[in-house]
Amino acid sequence: MADDPLIYDPKGGLPRLAMIMARLRAPEGGCPWDIEQDFDSIAPYTIEESYEVADAIARRDWEGLRGELGDLLFQSVYHAQMAEEAGYFTLDDVLRGIADKMVARHPHVFGDTVIDSAEAQTDAWEEVKARERAAKAQTGVLDDVPLGHAALTRAIKLQNRAARVGFDWPEVAQVVDKVAEEAQELTEAAPEDRFEEYGDLLFVMANLARHLEIDPEAALRAANDKFTRRFRFIEAALAAQGRRPADSDLAEMDALWDAAKAAERTAKKDQPA
């Protein structure tokens, strides 16, 4: 074992990681848990690792980001290993495919095409993807928007695609009116219709985020963080009195919530410009 390059080669890089994955999946001597997995069982971990990458970026945890990117890369290697075992494709096919795609989608970098703005690049990118869809016999505007995206992210992508062919509200105020309409429909819905109406409200809220150029996933993560921060303020204030939230009531906790908001405003004002 002392000369095993899988364990002791610090410069092995991606080939070393691929060999480690193959060893983990080896029928003889591999890891029982890794051997039992398939695409469906690993997919939730892949999604989770993507969110952990985003979380590390949001927290500006660059050392943590290094580790999370490694975890996400491992997920790609894991899927590629299973695909090779099934005879679908190899990790080399994946790497070659993404390299070829990036070259094809950036003719202004790897060819003679001239693109002088980010907006023009976005338009060119969509044109290239449209040609790719046509080559795959995907003629519908929404054909290749992945089902596996987080729901809010997929909503944005669906709406962006539809907007490119003119199916979109031109004014933010119109989207706001639609939010109010959907909220009203939800409050008036029969119990058996609330699921659908709530989904409609979320979908139009995603559309509002798109019109306001806000990432809804990032905005909700920020709201989650704010809620966590303020609720911990409530817990700390009650703990200072030897109590817990369960020993309090809504009126008291609501007052402490307002105190947390006031403290945050004061702290924000005191920050140097």
Side-chain angles (χ1 to χ4, degrees), residues 231 234-239 241-254 256:
F231 194 80
I234 293 172
E235 289 180 311
L238 292 172
Q241 303 171 22
R243 296 189 297 147
R244 299 172 300 174
D247 304 319
S248 182
D249 57 30
L250 178 58
E252 181 181 26
M253 287 190 286
D254 195 43
L256 288 171

Side-chain angles (χ1 to χ4, degrees), residues 61-270:
D61 179 5
W62 307 125
E63 180 61 22
L65 178 60
R66 180 184 65 82
E68 297 300 347
L69 287 172
D71 291 342
L72 183 58
L73 177 59
F74 182 71
Q75 292 295 308
S76 294
V77 173
Y78 207 134
H79 286 286
Q81 175 62 33
M82 292 187 291
E84 183 172 356
E85 294 166 5
Y88 300 149
F89 53 82
T90 69
L91 179 60
D92 282 342
D93 293 331
V94 173
L95 298 173
R96 186 165 48 251
I98 188 59
D100 289 345
K101 181 188 292 185
M102 290 301 102
V103 170
R105 289 187 176 180
H106 294 83
H108 56 298
V109 176
F110 303 104
D112 298 328
T113 301
V114 177
I115 296 178
D116 56 8
S117 70
E119 182 178 359
Q121 166 58 19
T122 299
D123 292 338
W125 183 276
E126 289 298 331
E127 289 174 7
V128 170
K129 289 196 290 186
R131 290 196 295 271
E132 292 173 355
R133 288 196 296 274
K136 297 177 183 177
Q138 296 175 325
T139 57
V141 173
L142 309 178
D143 277 356
D144 66 338
V145 178
L147 289 170
H149 278 312
L152 281 175
T153 300
R154 188 164 190 263
I156 293 291
K157 289 183 176 294
L158 291 169
Q159 293 160 3
N160 279 334
R161 286 288 183 83
R164 288 192 171 278
V165 295
F167 192 69
D168 193 18
W169 284 292
E171 302 294 337
V172 173
Q174 294 171 293
V175 188
V176 173
D177 288 342
K178 188 64 176 177
V179 170
E181 176 186 325
E182 294 294 351
Q184 184 67 28
E185 289 181 6
L186 176 59
T187 61
E188 297 174 352
E192 63 270 20
D193 296 328
R194 288 172 184 165
F195 179 89
E196 180 179 352
E197 295 297 343
Y198 182 72
D200 291 345
L201 178 58
L202 283 180
F203 190 82
V204 74
M205 286 298 296
N207 207 349
L208 179 59
R210 184 175 67 85
H211 277 265
L212 295 174
E213 299 184 352
I214 292 171
D215 178 348
E217 294 278 352
L220 185 55
R221 282 196 298 271
N224 289 341
D225 290 343
K226 181 166 62 177
F227 179 86
T228 300
R229 186 172 63 248
R230 291 179 180 175
F231 194 80
R232 285 175 177 164
F233 180 97
I234 293 172
E235 289 180 311
L238 292 172
Q241 303 171 22
R243 296 189 297 147
R244 299 172 300 174
D247 304 319
S248 182
D249 57 30
L250 178 58
E252 181 181 26
M253 287 190 286
D254 195 43
L256 288 171
W257 179 275
D258 290 339
K261 290 172 60 177
E264 288 178 359
R265 286 195 295 268
T266 299
K268 189 174 183 179
K269 289 179 180 177
D270 291 342

